[in-house]
Amino acid sequence: MEILKTLSYVGTMDVLFTICKGKTKFTDIMFETELNPGILNRLLKTLLTAGILNKDRDGYHLSERGAKIVLYTLKILDTESEMPNQDYKALIQVLSAQVDQQVKAV
């Protein structure tokens, strides 16, 4: 249930979608999501602790768990939408390939 609580925080999905689009540095995420730096910092720490994100010197990246969460969320949003969103479809393809690769590696 902790994962649902984490995902319910304001801005969480915006941050995850932003990271999917390749913006991985703190300042890039901050400008893209328009979140206050203090709030973004707490949110990123929470996502790291929950195992949804990983961090290295290049920035923040989705973990396997994070990729699955965003993939399933995008699929739901794409299904719910009356008009297909090409951005969603492109991200779904990228994340599907990433998740498939991680599954094959296990």
Side-chain angles (χ1 to χ4, degrees):
M1 292 307 258
E2 191 66 30
I3 190 78
L4 294 176
K5 182 179 174 185
T6 300
L7 294 174
S8 71
Y9 295 145
V10 172
T12 299
M13 294 312 296
D14 290 335
V15 168
L16 294 176
F17 290 156
T18 298
I19 291 171
C20 280
K21 294 176 188 174
K23 309 251 188 216
T24 62
K25 300 285 187 185
F26 183 90
T27 52
D28 294 336
I29 297 167
M30 184 182 66
F31 287 120
E32 181 78 19
T33 62
E34 298 179 358
L35 288 172
N36 172 292
I39 292 171
L40 178 58
N41 188 47
R42 280 193 303 273
L43 183 55
L44 290 171
K45 284 181 183 178
T46 302
L47 292 169
L48 286 166
T49 302
I52 297 170
L53 292 180
N54 296 321
K55 182 182 178 189
D56 60 23
R57 67 178 191 204
D58 295 326
Y60 295 91
H61 309 280
L62 292 175
S63 65
E64 179 180 350
R65 182 183 207 183
K68 287 178 181 178
I69 289 168
V70 175
L71 175 61
Y72 299 141
T73 303
L74 285 169
K75 285 183 177 183
I76 291 167
L77 292 173
D78 191 50
T79 305
E80 295 289 316
S81 176
E82 292 179 17
M83 291 178 44
N85 185 318
Q86 295 307 316
D87 289 337
Y88 288 172
K89 295 215 181 290
L91 285 174
I92 288 170
Q93 287 179 338
V94 169
L95 289 170
S96 292
Q98 181 179 345
V99 168
D100 287 345
Q101 221 174 22
Q102 291 169 344
V103 168
K104 288 177 186 175
V106 172

